[in-house]
Amino acid sequence: MKTRTVFYLLCLLVLAGSCRRENVPDRAKTTKTTSSTSTSVWEEKRKQGVDFTAFGGTPAWSLDVDFAKNIRLKAQGNNVLTTSLPEPKPYGKNGGVLLDTKTGTGRLRVTIEPAVCKDDNGREYAYSVVVEANKKRYTGCGAFLRAESRLNDTWVLESFKGQRLRPELFSERRLPYLAINVKDSRLEGYAGCNQIGGKVQTDADQVQFEPVTSTRKACASKFESDFLNALRSATLYRVGKNRLTLLSNGQYVMTFRKKN
């Protein structure tokens, strides 16, 4: 029960906040890190029960959060601090979350914010993380390692590049939508004029869409072309409170709501 409660609290606090805002602060200029999160490393962490991971450099550090058990901070000099997971609390104006707890040597304070972060290789992550422990402060990037399962659904387009959409704007008087099947890497949907198919690839909160039109209707506007190009450009996603938000180059692109 605690696992489920903590998981949903984190989803509501961190993920819902990111879906509520159309533009998210980009901390890429101030948060650069040394990448240590290859797919193989993430898969190993998943096997160990890690649900959220964060890392940074200068000096190098890493943080693993198991929603059912604890927080584990590995800091400079290979010092490891492990403590039980505290109740998550809301943090900041952007829908962030705070994990704050006492330890045997002081206090551990972790803030997770829906602000895009880049590592030294230019790879983007959906969350920025600040860790304060033993009078030291660490900054870096974070990712939810089991986020893909929440993508599996049908999502109806709600806003595109900051504009709210209405069904009457489209030829069939219905909003574009995506039906995502992560397990089969399959994408289906409607782009506002034509039906679409294609592939979707995910790795934690990173995503790559490869949509193709499956019908050949002549379109009265260029929306479909813009929509498909924006979909191809998306690199990150956040899911929360029945909303899916896609980002490209650290910026908000579009928001979908879960189909009822």
Side-chain angles (χ1 to χ4, degrees):
M1 182 62 69
K2 180 182 177 183
T3 305
R4 185 178 299 174
T5 301
V6 172
F7 174 76
Y8 283 113
L9 277 169
L10 284 166
C11 288
L12 288 172
L13 293 175
V14 179
L15 303 177
S18 69
C19 295
R20 207 168 43 235
R21 293 178 62 83
E22 294 183 352
N23 292 298
V24 187
D26 187 350
R27 294 173 60 172
K29 294 181 180 179
T30 59
T31 309
K32 284 211 168 186
T33 59
T34 302
S35 178
S36 61
T37 52
S38 65
T39 300
S40 60
V41 172
W42 279 357
E43 188 56 39
E44 185 60 32
K45 287 180 180 291
R46 290 187 187 101
K47 291 178 181 178
Q48 295 170 4
V50 176
D51 298 292
F52 180 84
T53 190
F55 66 96
T58 320
W61 64 274
S62 64
L63 179 84
D64 292 329
V65 181
D66 181 334
F67 295 159
K69 295 181 180 179
N70 53 36
I71 304 174
R72 182 176 182 271
L73 171 66
K74 184 177 181 181
Q76 59 192 102
N78 289 324
N79 293 321
V80 177
L81 172 63
T82 302
T83 185
S84 58
L85 186 70
E87 192 83 356
K89 299 177 181 178
Y91 176 82
K93 298 179 180 179
N94 300 324
V97 67
L98 168 66
L99 303 173
D100 190 2
T101 185
K102 292 181 179 180
T103 70
T105 58
R107 197 171 202 91
L108 175 65
R109 179 184 169 93
V110 179
T111 57
I112 304 169
E113 293 189 85
V116 174
C117 173
K118 287 184 181 179
D119 65 21
D120 286 339
N121 296 320
R123 183 169 181 170
E124 292 183 342
Y125 299 84
Y127 300 93
S128 293
V129 179
V130 176
V131 179
E132 296 171 273
N134 300 328
K135 299 182 179 180
K136 295 187 181 296
R137 190 172 189 269
Y138 308 92
T139 61
C141 304
F144 284 88
L145 298 186
R146 304 175 191 275
E148 297 101 320
S149 62
R150 285 174 288 121
L151 267 181
N152 283 311
D153 219 307
T154 299
W155 302 95
V156 179
L157 188 63
E158 191 171 59
S159 61
F160 183 73
K161 296 184 178 179
Q163 299 296 315
R164 296 280 292 192
L165 302 175
R166 305 187 309 277
E168 55 268 26
L169 296 174
F170 302 96
S171 58
E172 297 183 13
R173 301 185 69 80
R174 59 172 176 151
L175 290 168
Y177 73 91
L178 300 178
I180 299 173
N181 185 319
V182 173
K183 182 178 179 180
D184 296 335
S185 302
R186 188 175 71 247
L187 175 69
E188 297 177 349
Y190 167 66
C193 179
N194 285 286
Q195 297 295 120
I196 61 173
K199 297 181 179 179
V200 56
Q201 303 289 337
T202 63
D203 188 11
D205 49 25
Q206 298 176 347
V207 68
Q208 180 180 0
F209 292 101
E210 299 176 21
V212 293
T213 54
S214 55
T215 54
R216 295 290 184 269
K217 292 182 182 178
C219 304
S221 74
K222 60 188 294 288
F223 175 87
E224 178 168 286
S225 176
D226 290 344
F227 172 71
L228 293 176
N229 286 335
L231 198 59
R232 294 184 185 103
S233 75
T235 55
L236 295 173
Y237 71 94
R238 300 191 184 103
V239 178
K241 236 177 184 179
N242 296 323
R243 294 293 187 278
L244 165 65
T245 299
L246 300 182
L247 299 98
S248 175
N249 295 319
Q251 299 297 318
Y252 158 89
V253 177
M254 60 185 97
T255 296
F256 299 79
R257 59 175 171 80
K258 187 177 290 189
K259 186 176 180 180
N260 295 328

